[in-house]
Amino acid sequence: MAISLAAVSLPLGSKGYAQSVTDPLNGPQDAPSDDLLDVSLEDLLTLESTSVAKKRQRVVDSASAVYVITQEDIQRSAASTIPELLRGVPGVEVGRQTNGGYAVTIRGFNSRLANALLVMVDGRSQFVSTLSGVFWDQLMVPIGDIERIEIVRGPGASLWGANSSNGVINIITKHSADTGGVSFDARAGSRFQQGSLSYGGRMSDALNYRVYGTVRHDNGLVDVNGDDVGRRWQGGAAGTRLDWQPDSQNAATVQLDYARGSYDNPLLQVNADLTNPGYSTIRSRDEFESFSVLGRWTQRTSENFDWSLQAQYNDINRCELGNACFDWQLADLDLGFHWRANDVHDVNFGLGARVLLDELEGPYNVRFTDSADTDYWLSGYIQDDISLIPDTLRLTLGTKLEYNNFTGVEVQPTARIFYKPVPEVSLWSSVTRAVRTPSRMERAAQFNFTVELPNSATNPFPLPVYPVLLGDADRGSEHLLAYEAGARFDLGGSWSLDLAGYYNDYRKITVTVPGEAFPLFQDPVPYPLGLGLALDVKGIGRAKTWGGEASLSGRIMPWWKVRLNYSHFDFHVPTDPQSGSPYLMIFPLEGSPRHQVSLSNSVDIGSFFSVDSQLRHVSRLAQGPVPAYTALDLKATYRLPNGAELSLIGNDLLQARHVEFTQPFYPAPMMYVARTISAQLRFRF
């Protein structure tokens, strides 16, 4: 997968910042004269997104389902991690399964490693293509340093490439010029403690910097009785960001980040004792270490043309599942251009290249056919926003063309139409073809996580049967044809309504097909007694998903803001013509709730006191099964005259504990999220 980050279409500001607004990628900018951008900073953060079109565009004018978690939302949230900030966003599914492990996706196919969701931090892809997913516990950016989070529900493939077929989450941190001085944030509670310290300064009129450090200790999840399932999760991160703007046409950013953590997880491991077939419960000592560096140069050569060059390097070392360890090294280079040709055509185009080296060492039940591998990608994209009727009707056409060394050429086109008949109403629709390229696990896996005991309902034979997942070296890409439509309404009096609906047709989904049985004294599983059953990975599955999302927000009173979000999700998996049963997918759709509802309230009581709450209901998951649950987060904050904030926070207050997610192929017992109470101190000076 090649990720290309084009230049954001903004004039680069002067060295003085008194009359500036903040570009999330390039920093403080002189306020443009264009009426579209002539808004306050608060309105700009609330209304604009750069993730849909690789340029600044108001959310109400985007032909996509977009949701922005603003800086104010982040500051008032009861969340302590980035995945928890995403709870309640329409179309987004969030569940904890293990210590440190979150399952996060958009519109279905949820998994601890959701394989069709692209996550970025300031343009750096966090997608680990070896296993197809994101390790959320490695994203330890201090929440107070986040400017906003942009969530694009639906395919972003025509600009962002493969593996963004279900959506894009773009986490944008603050420009270093906006974080001068010291920022301190400490939070301690019944289940976790965390703290972060950031310091920003100015080396010259053109050069600003920020350094940060953060630590976290978390007791993790509990069992059905409320007892800890492992020793605490503990980790920390540190990093720096430098922003240089030598003149009004050029800007550069350099970022370095390092994170490290360790934790315990209980696992159900297949018992290798031939006299006692079944499972042994072990406590796996898991750990990770990650390092990344990013450099980006942006230049605006004229009022109608700008470009950016970005380079990044990521290195991840991680051990899980009883000493299955992998080393993942990525180098990526992207060149993007934005050209406003005339009043009708506004064009983005670019090129990208990526090289990935990975190596895995595992125990007897976790192996790849080739322990080390190198993959590479080349890509190009072009997208044209065509103004058919100025400020009323716009057509967007674009495509991403990629080549990789394991599936070949991938073409991902899109067509979007936007119509604004009156200033208070916006209508849009789109059709997109997207692909998800197979992970190394799907191409080269030799995994054995389960056993079917002898003389049981699933195994009538007198010997145990050990299913073995076998990857397919010729596995092709998964294809998606997505149809979307939406509407936005300005209801007056600060109230707005955002609606979106979708229909997705997936083809060539990864499924497992029972293959040959073999005696286990042969590779790939070294057991001298029993039968192995090959589960061959094949790209022959199909599925259809559909649903709708709604977000209603406004103010009941000037001091009382509310937001009501709702998501509906449904799916159909056709019957495999060979077996007569539904396709057995590695990432089943049964892991997604049919209904999600969240109600958020923000109440200001005077100038110094506020109360914020979020009430969420998530319907049951057929996978597990996981019962429905309702959760309440509550935060009461007192703002001291010196700028400090004291908060009392309760998370998941309605139940002592509840389960949120479980996954059949991940060999772990059921674990529960516990109620927590914490206190927080924030201070900036």
Side-chain angles (χ1 to χ4, degrees), residues 466-501:
Y466 297 88
V468 183
L469 185 71
L470 299 177
D472 180 5
D474 298 324
R475 170 78 172 92
S477 294
E478 177 180 304
H479 295 173
L480 166 65
L481 190 60
Y483 305 88
E484 298 179 273
R488 301 183 182 95
F489 303 93
D490 181 353
L491 304 178
S494 81
W495 287 88
S496 64
L497 176 63
D498 192 337
L499 304 175

Side-chain angles (χ1 to χ4, degrees), residues 29-62:
Q29 310 295 329
D30 287 342
S33 59
D34 190 339
D35 292 340
L36 177 66
L37 303 179
D38 190 16
V39 294
S40 68
L41 179 61
E42 179 181 1
D43 289 339
L44 187 146
L45 291 175
T46 303
L47 296 178
E48 290 197 339
S49 167
T50 60
S51 301
V52 178
K54 289 193 175 181
K55 60 185 178 183
R56 276 173 54 174
Q57 184 179 70
R58 293 202 309 169
V59 169
V60 295
D61 292 335
S62 62

Side-chain angles (χ1 to χ4, degrees), residues 156-178:
S158 61
L159 285 177
W160 302 108
N163 306 319
S164 61
S165 52
N166 275 22
V168 176
I169 295 177
N170 195 2
I171 302 163
I172 300 169
T173 64
K174 297 176 182 177
H175 190 279
S176 57
D178 297 331

